[in-house]
Amino acid sequence: MLLIDLRGLPCPQPVLRVKKALEEGNNSLEVIIDNETALNNILRFASMKLKTIVNEGQGKTLFLSSRYLGKGDDELGELLMKSFLNTLLQTPILPETLVLMNTGVYLACDENCYQPLKNLEELGVNVLVCGTCLKYFDLESELKAGKVSNMFEILEYLLLRNVTTL
Amino acid sequence: MILIRWPTPNWVLKVNHILEKEKIPHQIIPTPRELDPSCNLSILIAETVLEQTVQLLETNEVPVDGLLKVNN
């Protein structure tokens, strides 16, 4: 993550500096500002940029039916899934939706792995977490990212969207 | 940020457990291809926890020979 201190800069320098940082290939920025005008300008710019990124991944749904990526060794699978989600955050084209089912719901609840999902949500990715699965694993009160969904909504995504199952 | 890498992902597994147990924030990422053309995993930590991390790794006999300061 690139940290940019924009305090003391006159308008429109703050938003121009953010734009430049993004054009230089920095996909993750932490910005320090000291006035509301700069904040609103940057939020408006980010919102427009975000719509462009999410639109390019429009209709793409990733279905995560497990907290592990791949089969065979669960410890390796856990590492691979964490690496995958962190890498997804760095890609220029994001999926429209992530659907988490079965042990996949742990990814949205475990304090060691929910953050990338939270960040993806903040970037506009829809993160759906199976409510039945949360209940089964007694994780309803542990949800830290995404929104609780149900089979009807999830089925709609799986039937009508371009789905990749991991 | 500091990128730490090892020859095999098995070390990443061990280090991940150590850092989680000590609640040291870290990220598991694929090793950048510029550093390792083969498929491998690395760990990213903030510079502020470097000293603590290195001490933990030494205590747990994890060899530390691949440290690199990165921008993000």
Side-chain angles (χ1 to χ4, degrees):
Chain A
M1 174 155 333
L2 178 66
L3 176 66
I4 316 178
D5 189 341
L6 302 171
R7 288 174 291 188
L9 293 177
C11 181
Q13 286 301 316
V15 72
L16 291 179
R17 294 275 185 99
V18 167
K19 184 170 180 286
K20 183 168 180 273
L22 291 172
E23 284 167 357
E24 286 171 354
N26 298 292
N27 291 325
S28 183
L29 304 178
E30 187 173 338
V31 176
I32 305 175
I33 48 176
D34 57 3
N35 68 84
E36 204 166 329
T37 304
L39 171 64
N40 290 333
N41 286 344
I42 290 171
L43 286 177
R44 249 194 315 275
F45 171 75
S47 174
M48 284 189 316
K49 189 84 181 145
L50 176 59
K51 280 181 188 155
T52 304
I53 291 169
V54 174
N55 282 342
E56 288 180 11
Q58 196 72 34
K60 184 69 182 175
T61 294
L62 295 182
F63 181 48
L64 277 58
S65 61
S66 170
R67 66 185 303 177
Y68 311 117
L69 189 56
K71 288 184 181 161
D73 188 301
D74 286 349
E75 279 193 309
L76 175 60
E78 187 179 335
L79 275 189
L80 291 175
M81 181 58 85
K82 286 178 182 172
S83 178
F84 172 79
L85 291 175
N86 283 325
T87 309
L88 188 59
L89 267 173
Q90 304 298 320
T91 57
I93 299 175
L94 296 173
E96 183 189 60
T97 303
L98 293 184
V99 174
L100 278 56
M101 286 190 89
N102 206 309
T103 61
V105 301
Y106 275 96
L107 298 170
C109 301
D110 188 326
E111 63 174 11
N112 292 316
C113 45
Y114 81 93
Q115 193 60 54
L117 290 174
K118 191 85 186 151
N119 293 344
L120 285 166
E121 258 194 305
E122 287 163 5
L123 289 172
V125 176
N126 200 11
V127 178
L128 304 180
V129 187
C130 169
T132 299
C133 306
L134 286 172
K135 285 194 183 80
Y136 180 85
F137 293 118
D138 197 21
L139 291 173
E140 284 175 284
S141 59
E142 304 296 323
L143 190 65
K144 296 177 178 63
K147 68 164 191 155
V148 181
S149 186
N150 57 69
M151 189 61 84
F152 298 105
E153 186 179 20
I154 289 172
L155 194 62
E156 191 184 302
Y157 276 90
L158 296 184
L159 286 177
L160 299 179
R161 300 293 203 272
N162 175 7
V163 182
T164 297
T165 300
L166 297 182
Chain B
M1 299 293 283
I2 303 294
L3 185 140
I4 316 178
R5 53 193 191 99
W6 293 270
T8 69
N10 307 67
W11 286 114
V12 178
L13 224 151
K14 181 169 183 176
V15 174
N16 179 55
H17 285 319
I18 295 168
L19 296 180
E20 280 184 357
K21 190 177 162 200
E22 300 297 325
K23 299 200 187 306
I24 294 177
H26 60 286
Q27 293 176 52
I28 312 287
I29 62 162
T31 304
R33 275 175 247 156
E34 300 82 6
L35 299 175
D36 186 347
S38 67
C39 190
N40 206 342
L41 296 174
S42 296
I43 287 183
L44 269 183
I45 56 168
E47 275 186 76
T48 48
V49 297
L50 175 60
E51 195 178 328
Q52 185 186 3
T53 302
V54 169
Q55 272 174 358
L56 274 171
L57 299 188
E58 282 173 357
T59 304
N60 287 277
E61 296 179 350
V62 176
V64 180
D65 56 8
L67 290 173
L68 184 68
K69 188 171 177 178
V70 295
N71 285 333
N72 59 6

